[in-house]
Every structure is written in C-alpha cells, then in structure tokens.
Amino acid sequence: MDKPQQLFADGLPNLSEEHFVVPTATNLQVQAPFTHAPRFLILYGSLRERSFSRFLAYEAARLLEAMGGEVRIYDAHSLPLPDDATADHPKVQELRNLSIWSEGHVWVSPERHGNMTGVIKSQIDWLPLSEESVRPTQGRTLAVMQVSGGSQSFNAVNNLRILGRWMRMITIPNQSSVPMAYKEFDEAGRMKQGPLYDRVVDVCEELVRFTLLTRERADYLVDRYSERKEREPERLKAVAVDIGFVKRPS
C-alpha cells in the first residue's frame, strides 16, 4: 500500500533558502573550549542599608565562587533613572561593560506592591538589546530570585522571567523565592541554614551547569533566521527608507 502524501510536504514558498540553516548536532560541537572561569554578574533591587535582596545576592556570589565562577556584583547607587541621563554616564557604562564581560546573570529583587522594584527594573532598562554589533544580554544565562516581607510569592521572579526572555537570555528552570526574609537572615546578613537556603544552592548549581553548557555555543543558540535576513544590505536599506532615514527613490 502506498504511503499517502503528507499535507505539509507541499514546499516552503515563503522561505528564503539563502538564509535558512538546518540545525545540526555538529554545529553544537565546541572547537575551542573556553579555559577561563564562568563569569557572572549579579544585580539586586534595593538601596536600603539593610537590604535582604543584597544579602541574598551576596549568598549567591559566595556559592558561585565556591563552584568555580568569577563574580561581579553591581552597586546601583547613583545610577540615574532611564532617560534621565545619556548612555555615556559612568554608572551606565559600568553596568553595560559588566554585562558584556559576563556569561551569566543573577537578578535578585524584593517584591514591592506585588512586583519587582524600580531599582532592579532601572538597571535592566539601561541594558540595550544591542549596541552596534555588541549585545550585552543575548545568549547569556540567567537565574532569578526574590525576597518578600510576607508570605510566599512568585510575582517578582515571574516578571523577571518575562524580562529575561525579552532580553534574549537563557533563563534556567529553577528559581528562588524567600518569604518573610527578615526571619531568614541573621544580624550579620548571612542566610540561615534550612530548605530556603538549600534552594538557593540548587539555583546556583543549575546556573553554573547551564552556563558551562551554553557559553561557547551562545552565538549559535540565539542565531535567528529573521535576523540573518535583516542583516542583508538591501534589507537594511529598505528598513532605513521605511523609517525615514533615507529618501525613497523617486
């Protein structure tokens, strides 16, 4: 009995074969493995003197260093609001350079009014999707964490995940939410032993694994058909005409 023709075997007339690339396992093979330690940037969302999000950020930093990582924590004091300064502001440049240096991020926010804080959002808003040929976040791994003053909630981490996807990051499955944070940290700002601390260890462990798995392959993993088309000179010229940067031919 003849095999019936499948309905979807009727060709791809809208596809640009010039830009179409079939994903293969061969393209995922690493030719020159990185030898440096995985690099992590940590952002936290509070400027308070006794900040539980900062305490959690430092716990993550200690764990990531113990797992062989190199860690930088960004201090958002004096960072201007987005659009209230130009991108050449020293604090903005410091943030962008750290993100370019990094291979993975950790974002830690308090939950305020049911969402992340403006402090963490401002830091993320200062990171562009692209700056000329440099993309400060695309292809980097991301772990999200939050602290709450009340009962368990996941509002902040859920919205941080949305931002991570928008920033074209590889957000790991695990996450940490610390309820009633004032009970979970001692006077010195160290997190107490218990299941919530264990979850933070889990998250850091998973972040390091995903970073080691993807960092040499990040450019390939986030390479997109539509963007390969957009990089063509004729396509760029057409876009420039559409948005008014170049006069339309008469």
Side-chain angles (χ1 to χ4, degrees), residues 57-116:
Y58 272 81
E59 291 294 346
R62 295 181 184 101
L63 288 164
L64 291 171
E65 286 192 341
M67 295 175 190
E70 186 177 356
V71 182
R72 300 287 186 271
I73 300 178
Y74 180 72
D75 180 0
H77 283 90
S78 302
L79 178 70
L81 289 172
D83 303 328
D84 197 34
T86 56
D88 59 357
H89 188 283
K91 290 295 292 186
V92 175
Q93 287 299 303
E94 178 190 356
L95 174 61
R96 293 186 178 187
N97 289 334
L98 284 172
S99 189
I100 292 168
W101 165 86
S102 71
E103 296 164 336
H105 284 207
V106 181
W107 295 348
V108 188
S109 179
E111 183 172 308
R112 185 173 297 165
H113 296 165
N115 212 320
M116 73 187 80

Side-chain angles (χ1 to χ4, degrees), residues 163-180:
L163 280 173
R165 184 175 72 242
W166 190 260
M167 303 302 286
R168 303 177 178 182
M169 303 179 80
I170 303 168
T171 308
I172 67 170
N174 214 339
Q175 61 188 23
S176 169
S177 175
V178 181
M180 293 183 281

Side-chain angles (χ1 to χ4, degrees), residues 107 115-116 121 124-125 129 137 142 144 154-172 175:
W107 295 348
N115 212 320
M116 73 187 80
K121 184 63 163 57
I124 298 166
D125 284 347
L129 286 177
T137 55
L142 170 65
V144 294
F154 300 95
N155 291 331
V157 287
N158 286 341
N159 283 290
L160 287 171
R161 284 185 175 278
I162 293 172
L163 280 173
R165 184 175 72 242
W166 190 260
M167 303 302 286
R168 303 177 178 182
M169 303 179 80
I170 303 168
T171 308
I172 67 170
Q175 61 188 23

Side-chain angles (χ1 to χ4, degrees), residues 19-63:
H19 302 98
F20 181 61
V21 179
V22 177
T24 67
T26 301
N27 288 331
L28 287 167
Q29 294 176 2
V30 177
Q31 302 301 320
F34 292 165
T35 57
H36 62 266
R39 299 166 177 169
F40 299 101
L41 170 62
I42 302 181
L43 309 180
Y44 62 91
S46 172
L47 302 179
R48 291 178 176 176
E49 183 176 348
R50 185 167 173 80
S51 164
F52 295 114
S53 64
R54 185 175 75 251
F55 294 161
L56 185 56
Y58 272 81
E59 291 294 346
R62 295 181 184 101
L63 288 164

Side-chain angles (χ1 to χ4, degrees), residues 15 28 37 70 91 97 100 146 183 187 193 208 229 233:
L15 190 71
L28 287 167
E70 186 177 356
K91 290 295 292 186
N97 289 334
I100 292 168
Q146 74 169 74
K183 292 184 177 181
E187 286 302 313
Q193 186 179 23
V208 173
K229 289 181 66 178

